[in-house]
Amino acid sequence: TRGQPAQLYLCPFCHVFQVTEEEGKGGERKEKEEVKAPPEFQAPPTVIMFPRQQEISSKGLRRQKRDWVIPPVNVPENSRGPFPQMLVSIRSDQDRNISIRYSITGVGADQPPNEVFSIDPVAGKMFVTKPLDRERRSSYHLRAHAVNMNGERVESPIDLYIYVIDMNDNRPEFKNQVYNGSVDEGSKPGTFVMHLAAFDHDDNTTANGMVRYRILSQTPHSPIPNMFTINSETGDIVTVAAGLDREVMSQYSIIVQATDMEGNLNFGLSNTATAIISVTDINDNPPELTSRTFSGEVPENRINVAVANLTVIDRDQPRSPNWNAVYRIISGDPIGHFTIITDPHTNDGMVTVVKPVDFEQNRAFMLTVVVNNQAPLASGIQSSLQSTSGVTISVVDINEPPFFPTNPKSIRFEEGVPAGTSLTTFSASDPDRFMQQSIRYSKLADPAEWLSINTTNGQIVTTATLDRESIFVKNNIYEATFLAVDNGSPMASGTGTLQIYLIDVNDNAPSLLPRESQICERINRNAGINITAADSDTDPNVGPFVFELPTFPASIRRNWTVSRLNGDYARLSLRIQYLKPGVYEVPVIVSDSGNPPLSNRSIIKVKVCPCDENGDCTLVGAVAAAGLGTGAIIAILICIIILLSEYTDWTSSVRRREKERQTKQLLIDPEDDVRDNILKYDEEGGGEEDQDYDLSQLQQPDSLEHIISKPLGVRRVDERPIIPESQYPIRPAIPHPGDIGDFINEGLRAADNDPTAPPYDSLLVFDYEGSGSTAGSVSSLNSSSTGDQDYDYLNDWGPRFKKLADMYGGGEDD
């Protein structure tokens, strides 16, 4: 050891000597080597000394004496003991002179988990107290302390590292018991399939945690027993041989074993998992039609009907793009009458008509159909010859309805065409050229009943005069609908519309508007009546209009004048300065601009009346203009005055009565008078249970028979006094409103003094009090007069309380 003695320390569990050497001159140098300890040195426990202090040589150089290098302490996990088990002994070279106390600190000593390690404070022996588990904690870092009896530190703390040696106590574990993977059919050898991984909690730097994989079995064995292999270190599964065919075998099940100890089956622990490998489909089978030819038939003029069904075979995975068929018509249908729809469930192709076919044009169709898949064929796969077939579609002739070549048909005629005029021939054609059929015509809709049609040739003849101003003519057009029916089996019919454009002729004279108006009796520059005309005709047979007054009678032109405003309006005004108020019928002649023009003599009723400064008729003037005489006007005014006086008297009477009502109080306070107050009733009373009572107990009986014969229950017998009845005040037929209070007071007073009015002042018999009363006995109640009380107020309660007042009233005199 380079001329210096070395110090040797033994690690009892790692079985390794550690040697150190240090030199100070010319720089420090350290060497370290590990030597396996022979068996004879493995028994004694290691003694760890605290490091010595540094010394200074005579040459001034620092030199450290050779000292222990504190090795880590290795402790195997899962030790069976016995415990506590000694690990090392810690000593200080000062223990020869003074008493030393040793202690350890750190995780596992005085920190959680506590008391895993302990030390003898006097001898310095450190122990492990329980089995260790590397998977929970793989190492511990402790510090050893040395103090004297006073607790003073005599040595610097030293670090102790304790490593838990791994044991193979954990099996490899797969995350799942079943793994799913897939690989395309036809894959080449070496194709990656899937990856499996197992985890071992043991130390993966040792053989305890090194996992290796292998395949135990493959099911099924087709085409060979070993179609797959697994990388023993990575767990990747790849294909070994070719020949994967989904149509032959679609799934494989592989049992994979994971073993630690680098796969040593004698010492390692194992676990298994299952890998399910699905062989995915590729489009390696082209679709094949089941027949070289197909046929079908279609009625003409029908659409959206399936006329032929094409069947196909495809061995790829059903309902996948590799299996779904796509049909195309490559020839025989240039216009596109047909399309082929794929049934998603059966993969059949349904030849469907999308455009109507005509037997007279095509009696049959020869289609060429090709079928493919939605997905293209896999590389190297060729289409089959059976992917193409011929389809023959026969067209069935049916009886088609006649049709009108021009529909709607428009013609022009002047209105006023007389009955019996031939307008046109509205004939239909039969599309069935190969059927010998005849067509008959009839009228379907003729709103004004103006037309008729020849049943054999379709000639249209008028039956009445055509009038453009009829309500059945819209925008100068009259429409009629006709029906054409053939004699086929079954019969077929078609409709056609005839539109007659009616050209206007001047056959309507204009009429004056308005028919009534009014004007002031005196001429005014701005006074006048604007008049116009209405004409049922259209241009050019309407305006501009000509307005003029007739020459007879002469008073018309003497009193009135017409001035032109524009082509459609004129103004009628007075010619003279004053015209007597009244209603005048003024004739006006209106002419249109037709060729020849038509004129009409119209009457406008004009009310001439006196006007105010604003030019409006006054009330008197309006009455006078109505044609009433002076006597009638005076009589109307007198009636108005009488009505006003009556209204004045009535209002004064109402005010007087109101004043009397406020001066003379009624029985109740005005604030409580229901006539002038809004009463709120928010209490609706109880339910049906509160209405279960006998109202007959509150009524006066006419006889006692019904009481005697009544079953046991409540009985009340009232005895009516046999004395003459009192006389009540008679209310006048038309009472004054102010006397209502007096009348009520008098009636109340008479009722209080009438002993014949119920309830009677007599003995009341109650022979049944009922059972189950919630009230207690009242027999203990008595009356007492423990003080002076004035009962004189009973005299004010009326004759019914007179006896009670006599008994208790009167004070000390009684």
Side-chain angles (χ1 to χ4, degrees):
T1 59
R2 303 185 187 275
Q4 294 293 337
Q7 298 190 19
L8 202 61
Y9 294 92
L10 180 64
C11 174
F13 295 103
C14 63
H15 314 300
V16 176
F17 289 106
Q18 297 191 2
V19 182
T20 64
E21 178 183 52
E22 295 185 4
E23 293 181 356
K25 195 171 185 178
E28 297 183 352
R29 179 179 178 183
K30 296 183 179 180
E31 290 186 0
K32 178 179 179 181
E33 59 180 343
E34 294 184 354
V35 181
K36 292 291 182 178
E40 59 269 16
F41 289 95
Q42 296 181 12
T46 303
V47 178
I48 298 177
M49 300 295 293
F50 283 90
R52 298 187 183 94
Q53 301 296 326
Q54 292 181 348
E55 296 179 356
I56 301 177
S57 65
S58 59
K59 296 181 180 181
L61 297 176
R62 291 180 178 271
R63 178 176 180 85
Q64 181 176 344
K65 295 183 178 181
R66 297 182 181 273
D67 203 352
W68 292 105
V69 175
I70 301 174
V73 179
N74 296 323
V75 181
E77 65 173 335
N78 303 324
S79 175
R80 298 183 179 181
F83 296 101
Q85 184 176 10
M86 182 178 175
L87 299 180
V88 294
S89 178
I90 302 173
R91 285 190 58 197
S92 171
D93 56 1
Q94 300 186 34
D95 60 356
R96 303 185 186 92
N97 302 323
I98 60 174
S99 297
I100 302 296
R101 292 294 181 266
Y102 302 97
S103 63
I104 56 175
T105 59
V107 176
D110 62 343
Q111 298 178 21
N114 301 78
E115 300 179 354
V116 176
F117 302 97
S118 63
I119 188 171
D120 186 337
V122 177
K125 295 180 180 181
M126 191 174 72
F127 302 90
V128 60
T129 62
K130 61 180 68 175
L132 302 182
D133 188 353
R134 192 204 66 85
E135 284 70 42
R136 290 187 178 181
R137 191 173 187 89
S138 60
S139 65
Y140 296 87
H141 177 202
L142 303 179
R143 304 200 75 185
H145 306 270
V147 298
N148 58 20
M149 298 303 293
N150 295 326
E152 298 174 349
R153 188 178 72 177
V154 297
E155 297 285 0
S156 298
I158 59 175
D159 293 321
L160 300 177
Y161 292 94
I162 301 173
Y163 295 118
V164 182
I165 300 175
D166 183 46
M167 305 295 288
N168 190 20
D169 57 345
N170 291 279
R171 293 178 179 274
E173 294 181 0
F174 288 96
K175 184 178 180 180
N176 302 312
Q177 284 300 311
V178 178
Y179 290 83
N180 292 290
S182 62
V183 61
D184 290 341
E185 61 176 331
S187 296
K188 297 179 180 180
T191 302
F192 174 79
V193 179
M194 60 188 300
H195 172 76
L196 276 71
F199 178 76
D200 197 318
H201 291 280
D202 291 326
D203 188 358
N204 58 6
T205 62
T206 66
N208 297 335
M210 295 181 180
V211 181
R212 298 294 182 264
Y213 305 91
R214 71 190 186 108
I215 295 177
L216 295 182
S217 64
Q218 169 191 309
T219 305
H221 293 171
S222 174
I224 60 175
N226 299 317
M227 289 294 296
F228 305 94
T229 186
I230 187 169
N231 188 303
S232 62
E233 295 184 2
T234 63
D236 292 339
I237 298 178
V238 296
T239 59
V240 176
L244 290 175
D245 190 350
R246 190 204 65 85
E247 287 74 35
V248 177
M249 191 58 60
S250 61
Q251 189 179 83
Y252 291 88
S253 177
I254 295 176
I255 305 299
V256 177
Q257 183 184 58
T259 307
D260 58 14
M261 297 300 291
E262 297 183 292
N264 190 320
L265 299 179
N266 295 325
F267 303 102
L269 301 177
S270 301
N271 215 335
T272 61
T274 302
I276 304 298
I277 301 176
S278 299
V279 181
T280 55
D281 183 48
I282 64 172
N283 195 11
D284 56 345
N285 294 282
E288 298 178 352
L289 292 165
T290 58
S291 177
R292 297 294 297 171
T293 58
F294 295 90
S295 62
E297 62 179 20
V298 55
E300 62 176 337
N301 301 321
R302 296 281 300 277
I303 60 173
N304 297 328
V305 293
V307 298
N309 191 58
L310 312 181
T311 56
V312 69
I313 295 176
D314 195 320
R315 291 187 297 274
D316 289 321
Q317 185 175 357
R319 296 171 185 82
S320 69
N322 300 329
W323 178 82
N324 295 334
V326 179
Y327 299 87
R328 292 184 300 112
I329 300 174
I330 59 177
S331 65
D333 185 23
I335 302 179
H337 290 285
F338 304 94
T339 188
I340 303 178
I341 302 174
T342 303
D343 189 320
H345 301 288
T346 63
N347 219 22
D348 293 346
M350 296 174 289
V351 182
T352 306
V353 183
V354 293
K355 291 183 180 180
V357 296
D358 190 355
F359 177 82
E360 285 71 28
Q361 295 181 357
N362 296 94
R363 298 189 180 185
F365 292 86
M366 301 297 294
L367 309 179
T368 301
V369 176
V370 63
V371 61
N372 299 106
N373 292 123
Q374 288 182 349
L377 291 174
S379 177
I381 305 300
Q382 301 295 327
S383 298
S384 172
L385 296 177
Q386 296 181 356
S387 297
T388 304
S389 293
V391 182
T392 302
I393 305 297
S394 302
V395 181
V396 179
D397 188 19
I398 62 173
N399 186 24
E400 300 176 78
F403 68 96
F404 291 87
T406 304
N407 190 15
K409 183 177 183 179
S410 299
I411 59 176
R412 296 172 64 92
F413 274 90
E414 287 188 351
E415 64 172 329
V417 172
T421 303
S422 176
L423 300 182
T424 185
T425 298
F426 198 24
S427 59
S429 301
D430 192 345
D432 297 315
R433 300 193 306 269
F434 302 101
M435 298 182 183
Q436 300 298 325
Q437 298 179 147
S438 61
I439 300 176
R440 298 186 64 83
Y441 302 93
S442 61
K443 188 168 59 175
L444 187 62
D446 183 12
E449 297 294 334
W450 286 344
L451 307 173
S452 65
I453 187 170
N454 189 293
T455 59
T456 57
N457 59 16
Q459 185 178 14
I460 306 296
V461 179
T462 60
T463 58
T465 302
L466 305 183
D467 185 7
R468 191 199 66 84
E469 289 74 33
S470 172
I471 60 174
F472 301 105
V473 178
K474 308 297 180 183
N475 298 325
N476 302 327
I477 296 177
Y478 178 76
E479 285 189 355
T481 306
F482 299 92
L483 186 67
V485 183
D486 62 19
N487 60 348
S489 178
M491 292 188 298
S493 62
T495 59
T497 300
L498 179 65
Q499 294 180 340
I500 306 175
Y501 185 90
L502 296 177
I503 303 172
D504 183 46
V505 296
N506 194 17
D507 56 347
N508 292 280
S511 59
L512 185 67
L513 294 175
R515 296 301 180 94
E516 295 181 358
S517 187
Q518 63 182 17
I519 195 172
C520 294
E521 61 183 353
R522 298 188 180 276
I523 190 170
N524 189 337
R525 184 179 62 180
N526 296 324
I529 303 171
N530 292 337
I531 57 177
T532 184
D535 197 327
S536 300
D537 294 323
T538 60
D539 288 334
N541 298 319
V542 287
F545 300 103
V546 177
F547 303 89
E548 56 184 350
L549 299 175
T551 57
F552 182 82
S555 61
I556 299 301
R557 291 197 171 187
R558 184 174 62 249
N559 296 335
W560 306 91
T561 182
V562 175
S563 58
R564 180 185 178 89
L565 296 179
N566 53 38
D568 295 328
Y569 288 89
R571 174 170 291 180
L572 175 65
S573 58
L574 291 176
R575 179 184 291 273
I576 59 179
Q577 294 295 326
Y578 173 79
L579 183 63
K580 181 181 178 180
V583 179
Y584 296 86
E585 293 185 353
V586 180
V588 178
I589 300 175
V590 185
S591 302
D592 59 22
S593 299
N595 186 19
L598 294 181
S599 300
N600 182 26
R601 180 187 175 101
S602 301
I603 301 296
I604 178 173
K605 291 184 178 181
V606 182
K607 294 180 182 179
V608 180
C609 58
C611 297
D612 54 17
E613 61 276 7
N614 297 324
D616 299 326
C617 283
T618 61
L619 178 62
V620 177
V623 175
L628 299 178
T630 304
I633 296 174
I634 294 174
I636 293 174
L637 294 176
I638 292 174
C639 291
I640 293 174
I641 293 172
I642 293 173
L643 291 175
L644 291 176
S645 62
E646 288 290 338
Y647 176 76
T648 304
D649 293 342
W650 179 77
T651 55
S652 61
S653 175
V654 170
R655 292 176 181 175
R656 180 178 58 81
R657 293 174 184 174
E658 179 65 21
K659 185 176 181 181
E660 290 178 355
R661 187 186 68 81
Q662 295 177 358
T663 303
K664 188 174 183 180
Q665 295 293 331
L666 297 178
L667 295 178
I668 60 177
D669 190 89
E671 294 181 358
D672 299 331
D673 190 356
V674 297
R675 296 173 297 176
D676 296 329
N677 291 278
I678 298 176
L679 301 182
K680 179 181 178 183
Y681 296 93
D682 58 357
E683 177 60 37
E684 299 181 358
E688 297 179 356
E689 296 180 356
D690 295 338
Q691 302 177 7
D692 189 12
Y693 46 78
D694 187 4
L695 291 176
S696 64
Q697 306 303 321
L698 304 178
Q699 299 174 353
Q700 175 184 349
D702 296 332
S703 64
L704 299 178
E705 296 178 359
H706 69 285
I707 298 177
I708 297 173
S709 61
K710 185 176 180 181
L712 292 179
V714 179
R715 294 184 181 178
R716 172 175 170 173
V717 181
D718 292 355
E719 296 181 2
R720 183 175 183 178
I722 306 176
I723 59 176
E725 296 183 357
S726 300
Q727 298 296 323
Y728 290 87
I730 301 176
R731 183 179 180 183
I734 306 178
H736 193 278
D739 297 336
I740 295 178
D742 295 339
F743 174 76
I744 295 176
N745 289 328
E746 291 174 4
L748 180 61
R749 191 179 303 107
D752 287 340
N753 294 286
D754 184 10
T756 63
Y760 309 121
D761 190 8
S762 62
L763 178 64
L764 302 181
V765 180
F766 295 93
D767 59 353
Y768 180 73
E769 295 181 355
S771 62
S773 174
T774 58
S777 174
V778 297
S779 61
S780 62
L781 298 179
N782 54 24
S783 61
S784 63
S785 299
T786 60
D788 295 335
Q789 186 166 346
D790 186 8
Y791 294 96
D792 292 339
Y793 62 90
L794 296 175
N795 294 319
D796 300 331
W797 285 14
R800 299 183 185 277
F801 296 88
K802 188 175 184 305
K803 291 183 180 181
L804 190 61
D806 294 339
M807 294 172 59
Y808 288 88
E812 297 176 357
D813 296 340
D814 296 331

